[in-house]
Each structure stands twice: as C-alpha cells, then as structure tokens.
Amino acid sequence: MPTCRRKRVLLTEPSLGLLDAVKNDPSREVFYLADTGEIFETYEAYAARMSFYRVKQFQCEVTGKSGLDYFQALDSERQEARTMHSRFPDQLKAAVLKAVQWQVMGRLDHLVEAVYDRFKDRYYPDEKVYVDVQGEKYLARILEVIPPKTNTPMKPSPGPVASTSSSPLSDAPTAIHRLAEDLKVPVKDSIAQDDPARYIYKAQILDEERQAGTGKTEKAKGKETTRGQWSGHQLDVDCSKMGRDRLAFSKSILRRFIRDCVDRDAAVASPWTVKPAIAAKYGVSSVMPEEIRKGVETLKKGESDKRKKVWEEKEGPASKRQKRAAAAAENEKILAAIAEQREREAREKAILAQKVKEENDRLVAEKKKKKPIRYPTEDLDVVLGDKEKRAGMKLKRPVPSKLAMPFGEDHDTNSAFLMCWNFLVVYGHPLHISSFTMDEFEAALQHSLVDPPCQLLAEIHATLIYILRSVGFNRHSAVVSLVDLKQEQGSDNEVFGVTIDQLTAAMADVGNSWERAPLRHAEGREGWEESLVGCLKDHANMENFPRLREILTRILFTADQLPDTAGSSAPSPSTSPSPLRLTTPASPADLYYKLSAKDRVDIIAFMCNLVVSSKAIHLHMETCEEQLTALRKEKIEVNRTKKAYAEEINTLSGEINGEAKSQANGKAAATGEDVPMHDSSDLSDAPNSDAEGTASAAAATAASTAPKRRSAAKEREAARAKALSARQAQAERRRLEEEVNKLERRLEGIEREFRKLLGSVRVKPLGRDRFYNRVWWFDGMGAASLIGAGGTVQYGTGRIFLQGPSEFDVEVLQRREEDVDARRRGEEGEEGMLAVGEWAVYNDLEEVKEFVDWLNPKGVRELALKNTFVKWWNHISPGMRRRAADLAANAKIPEARRSMRKHAGADVLREPYMQWTNRKAINGS
C-alpha cells in the first residue's frame, strides 16, 4: 500500500447514502474510480480524490521511492511484488506461510528473524541450490530429502505446490522438517529434536549451459573441463555444503514476502494472519485453532488487566485518596502561587518585548524611508513628490476625445472600423489595393449617392470578393441558416415588414454567379453589389454573422416611399433605421448606398475575418517573416560595421590631437630659442682697422651656426610630414564620419521597414500608461509608408488612439491595496477615464505633446512608452501636422464654391476619397 507522509493511504469507504442506494435505488448514477475501486456520490468528491492521487507526494512502501503520485507508487509496489514472488522459492512459500500464520509478535522484524533462523538450513525437494564440490560452486536441484534415521525418500513435487491434501506442503504432518513450521517451539529445542545438519540431500548438478552467470573468462578457460565433468552427476550432501542464492532467499527478501502476504488488525495482541486469497492458494488453514484463539484471548486479557492495575495504583484506596487529595490541594496552592509569579513575569516580558518590537519597527521604517527606490519600478508605485511638482511635471493627463472617434461612443463599431482600415491597408499587397487614409475610408463609408459611385467602396468590396472565391464555403449557407431560424422560432415573424420566406425568395435570383463575375477595374467593378449578396449567401450564416437577416433585408428591399436623402452627402455614422416598412424588392446596386455606415462596417469586418484564413494572406505573412529575419541579420551587420568605424574614428582623433599638441610644443620651443648676442663692450674693444680679425670672427660665427641651420631644416621637413599626415588623418576621419552617417540612415530605414513588416504579422500598440491604457499609432504598417517619393511626409491616421485597459488589467488594478479609481479620477479626470473596450483619440499635436510630458519615466511601462514616442516622434508630428493642413484645406474649398454649386454630385467628386484611385489593381480584373 503506498504511503503519504509515512502513513499508509486508506481507500475511501462508500457513504451510508450509497449503501442505502444499493437497496433502494440501484440505478442511481455514481462516480467510479476504476484504479482503486472507490465510489463517490458527487463529481466534486471524485475530482478532489483524483487530484489528491495525482499529487507527487506518495512513496513506494517496498522500494522507498518518493516523489510519485499514487498510481505510480502502486505500480511500483506491484512490479516489486511480481519480481519478489518470481525470485522467492516456491517450495518455501507454503512452509513459511504456515509458520507465520496466527503468530503474535509485535514487530514484523522479529517475525522475520524467527522464520529466517528456522529455514536458512532447511531445504525442500525440487529446490535449486548451490553445492560446494572441491571448492567450486555448482547449481543443483534437490531430488530427494532423506530425514535422519529414515530411508523413506521424499519424492520431488511434479509441479507447483497446490492446496490439495496430497501436496507435501499441506496441513498433514510431513516427514521432513516437521518442527520448522511451529514457531512456538524454541530454536534450540527444534534443532535438538529435528537437527537440519543430520538431513541428507540427494542433489543433481545441472548442465553447464544451465548454470546461471557462468560466463567464460580467461581464468575460467582452464577449468572448463573440470566443471563440465560434474554436469548431470548426483551427489549426497548435507546443509553445510549447500546454500541458496541471496537474490532468492535473504532476510530482506523474506521480509518483503511476509509483508506482502500477511496482515494484522490494529487491536492489541492481534495475530499475524495470511491473506485469505494467498492462504487458499498455498493450502494454509484460515480457521484459527482453538488453542491459539485461547492464547490470543489470554494475551488480550493480560494486557487489559495490566492497564487496569496501572489505573488502580494511580487512584489507590479511599484513605490514601484523601491524603493524596490534601497533598494535591497543598500542591495546587503552591503551583498557583508559582503560576501567578510566572504570569507576572510573563506580562513584564511581553511588555518589554512589545517595546522592543515597536522600537525595531520604528528603526525598520526609518531605514525604508532612507533606502532609495530603484527606478524604473511599477508605475503605480511612483508618486510625484514636491520636487517633481516644482519642476513643472504634469499632474493631469490631457483628456482624449471620445466624440472625435469615427463612430462617437459606439465603441464596438469603432473597434470594427479600426480593424477594417488597418487590415485593408496592412495587406494592400496581397489584396492588390492602394493605401488610403482613415479619413478617406470614413468618408467613403458615409457616401450615400448612387451617382457618382464611390470607387473606393467598389475596390474594397471587389478585392475582398476575389479573395473569398478561394476560401471554402457552403453553398446557400445563409438560406439554410434562415430556414433553421424560422423552425426554431416556430413562426415566420417579420423584420422591417419582410418575412423569412420573402427574404429567401428575393435572395434566390441575386448573386448566383458571384464566383464568375468579372468585376473588372476598367469597368468600375460593375456588378459588385450583386456579387456581395452572393458572397454573403454562401459564406454567412446566423452564427458567424448575427446581423445577416437585417442587412440582407435592407439591401434587397425598399420602402414604397422614402425620404429624400440625396441632398446629404455625409450622413451621420449612427443613422437610425428607417421606421417605414421595407416591402418592395429592389436592386442591391441602388440600396447599398442607403445602408448606414455601421452596416457597411459590419459587412466589411465580416469579410475581413474570412479573408484572414485565405492562402494569399498566409503566404504574405510567411514572406514578411522571412524578410524580418533578413532585416534582423542586416541590422546586426550594420551595427557591427558602425562600431568598427567608430573605433577607427576614435583612433584617428587621438592621433590628430597628439600631432596638434606636438606642433604646438614645437612652435613654443622655436619662439623661446636662445639667439647669440654680442656684448657691446667686446665690440667697442675691437679696432676698426683690424680687417683680418673681423673676417676670422665672421668665419667662426658661420661655422658655429651651420649645424643649427641643418637641424632647423630637418625639423621643418618633419613638421611638413606631420602636417601632411594630420591632413590625411582628418580626411580619413571625415570619410568615416560620412560612412557612419550613411549607416545611421540605413538603420532608420531598417526600423521603418521592420515596422511595416511586423505590422503585417502582428499589430502591437506603442505601449501602455500607468493605468494600463493602450496607446495606438497605426501609421507606417504593412503596405503603408511613412515617407513618400522625394522624402514627402505621408500619414494613414495622423492621430494617436487610446484604448481602455483589458479585463485582465482591470483585475490587476483592483487587486492593489490603494484606491486606484480615486487616483484615476485625480490624474485622468472623470471624462478621461476609459473603461474596458472604450476608445478615445488625440487629434491635436499639442495634446499629444502634453500627454508625452505627462508620462513619468520612473515607471517601467511609461518609460518604455516615452522611449517609443521619442523614437518615432520625427514621423508622428509631421504626419499630424499634414493631416491638420489637409483637413483645413478641404474645409475651405466648399465655402469658396458654395455659390457655384449646381447639384450635390459636383462637390462630392472633388472630395479626397472620390479622387482616390487604385494603382495596384491587376489588369483585366
């Protein structure tokens, strides 16, 4: 039985309710643990027990292996039991079990010692032993056992020991080892009455090839002939010349065998009993003999009397009890006084300990205050101090605008809108569609005029339809889903006055050839509205597109009388549904432009979610992964080259500075050189008429200055050489600096390319602020670029978006001890607090600057976010400025042309989203 914390694990017994259910409710469902046979009423109890068994806290009782679960420990014990039973001699099993049956011994070790002493020199027929012949050990099999003073041989057992009365190991007394099985007889008496040394055993040496472990070595080669001559011989030997294999019979093996085969009750003086199944197998009687039963009862009674006597001695007679009571009372008084003294001392110690603890806490608190905090740290642990406030640190974050989002406070639609625009722009290459700004996409979704049509809407839907032709679908899945909905509802209720039967009938003849419709770019994608309906018929159902019925009704049916909406070219994003009943079938080409912007976003979002699984998108993502790997390698090489150039520049700078210092020192020495001066008294002493004296003096002077002129010439030559070397070093340094500048520009290009490719694989925010609000900047991803031809600035959104924290982040905030909501109200403001899934936006560059200034670099999240802003600021700020300029220019044009307008379409054609063209469209499609 496996153990847990040195205690055997007991199986769970069935509850009383289950036992009653066996009689009253046999068909009751229960939870059954097959590995242990346990039964549980509830799944919780079953799961708790299974979890307990799966914890690696159990130990194999046989091998002592720990760190196992219950089932591993059980398998280990069973495997060891099988190994032990296969090794233990079968001829000894019944005799040993009969010897231990009904034995009363406190410890198992004592029982093992007694059995081992009885059977270590006693052998049985058909048992394999080792026989000592002339100093060599031979494996032999016992053929006969000849007891002392008898010639009646004991025939070997023809097979495994059975439980019948004819077996030599049955309960009937045998002629051999008749006292070995009776442990009540002392060892000395059993040897005196039945000495094992007087037994003679007829053994047959087994063949050489049957000898276990007799591998031939170099030393054994000379003895092969000698060993082979004994094979098959029969010898008469006694126990002194015989022995068993230690792997088959030893105290440890015997202990494991007995522990596996016997059991004992927990009561005092309980005997060891062989397990019923094993007793039946080996013919061991399971009925306790009368004399043994009486002996066990006597032992139990003696133990009980001993405990009773101890109790009586403790209490004593009545007179003694009185004396003891008085003595006890006196002792109680003394003990009470001692206890009171101890309590007083304990109180004094407690007060002193409390004072010491308070002093220690005060010192620890002071140390904590003095200990500097290592920054950056958790953002919410950073609190602005007086120093930061005096330095002008922003205390409150600028409030982002929720109403400035494309769909206001409809955050679900805002999320779908941003996803659609990002998907269409990022995967522009596999979709074969040119990039467009978010403002153009928003304006196109609000386009409500049939004439002129919006080319941007046509290109978006057409390219998605082309891709969805290669994605698997179920024919007429929308019709089947609507019919199933009708059956579930039990009645054909109306939506906008149209029943499901009317809707399916109108859908039957629209868009059936959407897979083969050409939708050519040169023809303006004519017929894309009908193909859209066909695509929805085969791809959509009520599960993956819950608004399917409502949108199909709006795109296939119109009211008998509709209000004039032609005068408004830019309806509200949240256009309310028409209260009129849509009862007249109409063409999707006319009705699509009457859909609200929300309906159009839902359609495009559904199609984008399907296109993600297409092969074209997957191949593009794999290509981007490969290019990202190449860019990483290139970045490593560029950084390595840049570092080498920087080291060369530092070396050249050191040389140039050293030469400049040496030149300066040389000039200083030249200016301070001693010039020979003649004393005026010497000149005045020389006679004017002495020409020869003058000539000789001039010659001497020339001879003395000649070496100095030669050394000055050499110095000038060396200075010119040094100057030339310095000029060359400066030229080389300028060249290396230009190379470094080129490498830095390449690194900037690699960063831009990396952002584009990484945006095609997975879109990540710029970072998160202290309250886990996510900051998004979608420009420069996928097919979009931050720099156009000629270095012009390009933008996609020209804005910074903020998204509220996720549900997990909210749980993290709520687990903090401080009141995070109060802090958010103080640092974000009531209007600036974003809930889960809410969006807001910064349209003004000054607001973004204030937001960046509000970020505290002492926090880990805001430090990373601020560094990211610094990294991309040269692209964020120009993009926001250009968007602001474009919006201002587009806002002035309608005012200037208001008086010249003749009809609504004239101004619409001049809108930026109407001037967009798809330069990536494939010819012929």
Side-chain angles (χ1 to χ4, degrees), residues 221-234:
K221 287 183 178 180
K223 300 181 180 179
E224 286 185 22
T225 306
T226 305
R227 295 186 63 89
Q229 69 181 359
W230 292 103
S231 298
H233 277 59
Q234 296 183 4

Side-chain angles (χ1 to χ4, degrees), residues 14 152 258 364 604 752 759 784 849 886 897:
T152 304
I258 294 175
V364 170
I604 297 174
R752 292 193 298 271
K849 290 180 179 179
D886 291 345
R897 294 198 301 262

Side-chain angles (χ1 to χ4, degrees), residues 133 740 797 867:
V133 181
V740 169
T797 61
N867 291 336

Side-chain angles (χ1 to χ4, degrees), residues 748-756 780 786-787 872 875:
E748 293 178 0
I750 289 175
E751 290 294 336
R752 292 193 298 271
E753 290 294 325
F754 198 89
R755 177 176 174 82
K756 292 175 64 176
L786 294 172
I787 298 178
W872 296 105
H875 300 284

Side-chain angles (χ1 to χ4, degrees), residues 247-494:
L247 295 178
F249 185 80
S250 63
K251 287 185 181 180
S252 61
I253 296 294
L254 181 61
R255 186 178 188 277
R256 289 163 58 184
F257 173 73
I258 294 175
R259 182 173 57 186
D260 190 63
C261 296
V262 302
D263 202 353
R264 183 177 62 174
D265 293 337
V268 178
S270 296
W272 294 96
T273 58
V274 181
K275 296 177 181 178
I278 299 176
K281 180 179 180 181
Y282 292 103
V284 180
S285 177
S286 298
V287 180
M288 184 183 295
E290 186 65 23
E291 62 274 12
I292 295 177
R293 185 181 62 78
K294 291 180 179 180
V296 171
E297 290 178 355
T298 303
L299 287 174
K300 289 184 179 181
K301 185 177 180 181
E303 185 66 25
S304 178
D305 293 342
K306 185 189 298 184
R307 295 185 179 184
K308 185 177 180 181
K309 184 178 180 181
V310 172
W311 178 80
E312 289 179 350
E313 289 179 354
K314 183 178 180 181
E315 295 298 326
S319 60
K320 291 184 178 180
R321 285 200 299 269
Q322 293 176 358
K323 294 180 180 179
R324 289 177 181 174
E330 188 68 23
N331 291 334
E332 285 180 1
K333 293 180 181 179
I334 297 173
L335 292 175
I338 295 173
E340 185 178 356
Q341 178 68 19
R342 289 179 178 175
E343 288 180 1
R344 186 166 55 254
E345 294 177 355
R347 285 195 298 270
E348 293 176 356
K349 289 182 179 179
I351 294 172
L352 181 61
Q354 182 67 21
K355 291 181 179 179
V356 173
K357 182 180 179 181
E358 291 176 357
E359 182 66 19
N360 292 334
D361 293 342
R362 186 183 63 81
L363 295 175
V364 170
E366 290 180 357
K367 289 182 178 179
K368 286 184 178 179
K369 290 180 180 179
K370 294 179 181 179
K371 185 178 180 180
I373 301 175
R374 298 185 63 182
Y375 296 109
T377 184
E378 166 59 35
D379 295 73
L380 294 177
D381 293 339
V382 178
V383 179
L384 291 181
D386 296 336
K387 182 178 180 181
E388 288 85 358
K389 294 178 181 178
R390 288 194 300 268
M393 191 83 177
K394 295 288 184 180
L395 301 180
K396 189 174 181 180
R397 188 189 71 186
V399 178
S401 176
K402 298 179 183 178
L403 297 177
M405 291 294 297
F407 290 86
E409 295 189 1
D410 187 357
H411 301 292
D412 293 336
T413 308
N414 281 327
S415 298
F417 171 81
L418 293 174
M419 184 274 292
C420 293
W421 178 85
N422 185 71
F423 181 84
L424 295 171
V425 171
V426 166
Y427 296 106
H429 292 301
L431 295 178
H432 303 292
I433 186 170
S434 299
S435 299
F436 46 88
T437 66
M438 185 175 289
D439 295 323
E440 293 171 349
F441 184 52
E442 180 181 357
L445 291 176
Q446 297 173 358
H447 183 81
S448 61
L449 298 177
V450 179
D451 186 24
C454 179
Q455 184 183 4
L456 179 56
L457 286 178
E459 291 294 330
I460 290 173
H461 288 84
T463 188
L464 294 177
I465 291 171
Y466 267 113
I467 299 295
L468 288 178
R469 291 176 179 178
S470 61
V471 178
F473 58 87
N474 295 324
R475 184 72 67 181
H476 302 301
S477 63
V479 177
V480 174
S481 179
L482 291 171
V483 173
D484 292 341
L485 177 63
K486 176 184 175 183
Q487 294 177 355
E488 291 177 1
Q489 294 177 349
S491 61
D492 194 359
N493 60 339
E494 296 181 352

Side-chain angles (χ1 to χ4, degrees), residues 379 769-770 854-856 859-866:
D379 295 73
D769 65 6
R770 67 193 68 168
W854 175 77
L855 298 176
N856 195 332
V860 288
R861 292 187 296 277
E862 294 193 354
L863 174 62
L865 178 58
K866 195 162 189 174

